[in-house]
Amino acid sequence: MNILVTGGAGYIGTHTLVELLNRGHGAVVIDNFTNSRPESLRRVREITGKSFALYAVDVCDEEALSRAFSENAIDCVIHFAGLKAVGESCERPLAYYRNNLDGMMSLLSAMGRHGVKKLVFSSSATVYRSDVPMPVDEDSPLGSINPYGWTKFMCEQMLRDVVAARPDWSVVLLRYFNPIGAHESGRIGEDPSGIPNNLMPFITQTALGRRPALRIFGNDYPTRDGTGVRDYIHVVDLALGHVAAIEYAEKNAGCEAFNLGTGQGYSVLDLVGAFERVNGVAVPCEIAPRRAGDPATVYSRVEKAEKMLGWRATRTLEEMCRDAWRWQVKNPNGFAE
Ligand code: NAD
Ligand code: UDP
């Protein structure tokens, strides 16, 4: 298939492009580089030996999107483009609603104009209410506590409504848990700007000496060791989940949601311990107060994706730690060099 990948220059987008191209699919990328650099796409070309068209435009610009559809025969869209920092979304809610909702609406409108009816959407585990019993399955109650999560919730609702009106459309909602790690080549990986919000890039930058210590947000949660528990998934497994999703969308109409996780919860101390052990480096840590809004434990039920997509994550926590560190050591300044 020929796939339009919005946000293709980002962390998950680049890893997905590699797997799509390796699988023999064609790609057309849209990215305005608001949170990425063209160098990441050069590396995708280098890893795969394949090329693809790039439109350096904003997904909110429907005319520019429309050009990408009319100049290429597109079969399916994977929509990664969006702003994703929870804390920033609380400070700049309108920027998040504008970017993430306008982007979704102009994309759906351009798809409708060009007769493209298949879409895979990057949703998130944050669409689940945090007070539901774990593990969460796809029928668990939805809700959010921050503007970022609400944008995902609202995009999902918009997509369910579009499919209700157009039953010949095929939409796959992928609810990611905690993607970490990097491509095993060490050529692409997560490149956060400024101080990382997420745990793994903070660990790698601390191990490298760029940060004095990892602050562990709370050790008094009702978990095995008191620190927060999450479902970490290797970004390459996540990327392969997208390949399975587009192949599912090719054959099935309707709107379906799938969890993409491992089904296994690990604590902050589990992750730090595994990282130190696998890579033979120290990660200085200090205990800090809980971070507002953090639930104690989040992990997924994965049976639906196994059964309907024929996909499941296979990479271990150790592989996630090894690959994240390889990427960080080889690229201490990310894609900036
Ligand atoms: P990322 O920031 O690395 O990638 C997003 C890409 O979209 C960037 O290259 C950015 O420049 C681009 N972009 C943003 N707004 C755009 C716009 N208006 N027009 C064109 N391009 C635009 O993020 P990521 O981690 O790769 O996440 C991809 C998607 O997955 C996002 O929608 C995110 O919300 C979702 N998601 C991510 C995680 C995670 O932990 N990384 C978890 C759940 C869901
Ligand atoms: N965390 C931490 N220190 C950090 C960043 C995160 O202790 O500097 C913890 C956080 O409280 C949570 C887990 O690590 O329990 C994963 O956080 P992350 O921000 O990576 O993902 P989230 O699940 O919050 O989206």
Side-chain angles (χ1 to χ4, degrees):
M1 279 194 278
N2 207 24
I3 297 141
L4 185 83
V5 182
T6 76
Y11 174 45
I12 304 170
T14 45
H15 288 83
T16 302
L17 275 171
V18 167
E19 300 308 324
L20 290 171
L21 295 167
N22 283 346
R23 180 97 175 166
H25 294 293
V28 173
V29 172
I30 295 208
D31 206 299
N32 66 356
F33 300 109
T34 192
N35 196 37
S36 54
R37 295 168 190 265
E39 172 64 12
S40 68
L41 293 175
R42 200 191 63 71
R43 304 254 184 117
V44 170
R45 294 192 183 96
E46 172 201 294
I47 292 169
T48 60
K50 306 221 169 111
S51 68
F52 47 82
L54 164 67
Y55 291 77
V57 298
D58 191 317
V59 278
C60 302
D61 179 348
E62 193 183 325
E63 286 317 307
L65 272 187
S66 196
R67 263 198 314 282
F69 280 102
S70 50
E71 290 171 6
N72 301 276
I74 302 296
D75 302 303
C76 176
V77 177
I78 305 182
H79 183 38
F80 292 109
L83 299 177
K84 63 163 186 177
V86 171
E88 187 188 48
S89 80
C90 299
E91 286 151 27
R92 304 173 56 224
L94 276 185
Y96 272 66
Y97 286 112
R98 193 176 294 285
N99 193 71
N100 294 0
L101 299 184
D102 263 7
M104 183 86 259
M105 284 189 280
S106 58
L107 178 63
L108 289 171
S109 173
M111 286 173 66
R113 278 164 64 188
H114 294 273
V116 178
K117 300 174 184 174
K118 299 181 200 317
L119 173 71
V120 174
F121 173 60
S122 292
S123 189
S124 168
T126 61
V127 298
Y128 292 116
R129 281 176 49 158
S130 53
D131 55 354
V132 296
M134 293 296 146
V136 274
D137 69 21
E138 289 79 355
D139 297 323
S140 296
L142 304 183
S144 187
I145 52 166
N146 57 67
Y148 166 71
W150 283 120
T151 69
K152 294 295 180 193
F153 175 97
M154 288 174 193
C155 283
E156 283 203 2
Q157 187 57 44
M158 207 186 290
L159 291 166
R160 279 187 286 270
D161 291 340
V162 165
V163 172
R166 303 282 303 273
D168 57 332
W169 278 49
S170 176
V171 172
V172 181
L173 311 172
L174 296 181
R175 295 177 181 155
Y176 311 154
F177 282 69
N178 289 58
I180 59 171
H183 191 261
E184 66 171 15
S185 63
R187 298 296 288 158
I188 54 172
E190 189 170 11
D191 183 20
S193 49
I195 300 172
N197 292 307
N198 295 113
L199 182 57
M200 183 53 100
F202 211 104
I203 290 176
T204 58
Q205 292 192 8
T206 305
L208 202 64
R210 256 169 79 181
R211 316 264 161 220
L214 169 70
R215 298 177 70 227
I216 296 179
F217 297 142
N219 66 348
D220 56 353
Y221 283 105
T223 61
R224 217 171 33 252
D225 59 27
T227 65
V229 168
R230 295 291 183 275
D231 184 342
Y232 297 98
I233 174 169
H234 196 296
V235 66
V236 172
D237 277 330
L238 193 75
L240 289 166
H242 291 74
V243 177
I246 57 156
E247 291 170 2
Y248 172 88
E250 194 179 11
K251 297 189 207 96
N252 300 277
C255 183
E256 281 297 340
F258 296 97
N259 287 342
L260 295 188
T262 63
Q264 178 79 45
Y266 289 102
S267 72
V268 176
L269 290 176
D270 288 337
L271 189 61
V272 172
F275 187 91
E276 292 186 318
R277 202 171 53 248
V278 168
N279 296 314
V281 285
V283 181
C285 295
E286 60 190 47
I287 303 299
R290 289 183 180 190
R291 184 170 66 178
D294 274 358
T297 301
V298 182
Y299 65 101
S300 62
R301 280 193 78 103
V302 293
E303 285 77 6
K304 186 175 175 186
E306 282 188 25
K307 195 162 149 226
M308 293 176 65
L309 300 180
W311 167 92
R312 76 182 178 85
T314 60
R315 288 163 178 77
T316 62
L317 194 70
E318 284 70 25
E319 290 173 283
M320 301 179 211
C321 292
R322 182 199 64 198
D323 293 341
W325 183 233
R326 183 188 296 115
W327 153 253
Q328 181 70 78
V329 169
K330 282 186 156 191
N331 306 271
N333 299 311
F335 293 112
E337 287 148 291

